[in-house]
Amino acid sequence: MKTWQAIGTIAVVALALGLALVVPASTGTTTTATTSSAASAGSTGANGLLLGFSVNVTSISQGQHFGMTISEFNTLSRTNNVSEASAWVVQGSTQACPDGFYPFGVSVFQGHYAENNVTMVTPLQIFPITPCPMFVRLITGYVFQPLSLNASVLPGSSNQTTAMQALVTVGTNYTGFPGQGQPLPAGAYTLVASDEWGNLAFLYVSVQ
């Protein structure tokens, strides 16, 4: 992974995503507060795609929920044809029954972790335990529009594009709890956005 350091491009990316990304030269993953109660992070890979990640609050009371937005943005000023990959570091999801449509996902871990130790722990079950159909979508790649979230999913028509962005709301832990689950207990939580090209972005939320 490497940080995308073209300042003009970052400005366009931040504007398009509604984020305030600060990109120091010394790290591949950045986190910065956009307001007193929100935060965002981003990580750009060699393929020119920026894995964008934001959370609407960084502290909630027990029983409340927080929202996360995950996206994949083409930072190049040209069409970007990116092949499907399976270089996941952390396998996340954006819904209870993943259909393989998005090339990214999100995981929530109880405790404070970073890239060097997050693979040693098991993420929480943040979606209801749901019987999912046996379905695999055979995606071969994505064709991103220049400086855009919009991409065509291959195989398919290049004229049909979809915004590579998803919103996930979290506040319940279904791990070991059938049915409705339980509110997240008080403590620190690590939020990890990941994509199939191996990029990671970290944010943190506390439950009071």
Side-chain angles (χ1 to χ4, degrees):
M1 294 182 294
K2 66 177 182 179
T3 301
W4 192 262
Q5 296 180 27
I7 301 304
T9 302
I10 285 294
V12 173
V13 171
L15 179 63
L17 298 181
L19 305 178
L21 292 178
V22 174
V23 187
S26 61
T27 179
T29 302
T30 59
T31 301
T32 179
T34 54
T35 70
S36 59
S37 61
S40 62
S43 181
T44 306
N47 58 12
L49 295 182
L50 168 66
L51 175 66
F53 191 31
S54 64
V55 63
N56 62 342
V57 293
T58 54
S59 180
I60 62 171
S61 297
Q62 193 170 12
Q64 294 181 331
H65 291 69
F66 58 87
M68 298 176 287
T69 301
I70 312 99
S71 62
E72 205 79 56
F73 185 90
N74 177 23
T75 65
L76 306 181
S77 57
R78 58 172 172 80
T79 301
N80 193 359
N81 193 332
V82 184
S83 298
E84 184 273 340
S86 56
W88 296 91
V89 177
V90 175
Q91 185 86 49
S93 180
T94 58
Q95 54 188 328
C97 289
D99 64 1
F101 187 82
Y102 291 120
F104 52 74
V106 64
S107 302
V108 176
F109 299 85
Q110 188 170 11
H112 194 283
Y113 300 96
E115 190 168 353
N116 65 334
N117 59 6
V118 72
T119 58
M120 301 176 186
V121 290
T122 302
L124 298 177
Q125 178 78 33
I126 59 174
F127 300 110
I129 300 172
T130 306
C132 295
M134 297 297 291
F135 174 76
V136 177
R137 188 182 179 98
L138 299 178
I139 292 177
T140 60
Y142 302 84
V143 180
F144 281 82
Q145 297 302 303
L147 296 172
S148 177
L149 292 168
N150 296 320
S152 302
V153 181
L154 302 177
S157 171
S158 60
N159 296 323
Q160 296 180 343
T161 62
T162 301
M164 293 292 110
Q165 186 174 58
L167 173 64
V168 178
T169 301
V170 175
T172 305
N173 176 21
Y174 297 92
T175 304
F177 299 104
Q180 298 300 313
Q182 298 293 323
L184 294 176
Y189 291 85
T190 301
L191 321 177
V192 183
S194 56
D195 67 20
E196 62 186 47
W197 298 285
N199 290 307
L200 295 177
F202 286 75
L203 290 171
Y204 301 91
V205 165
S206 62
V207 178
Q208 308 299 324

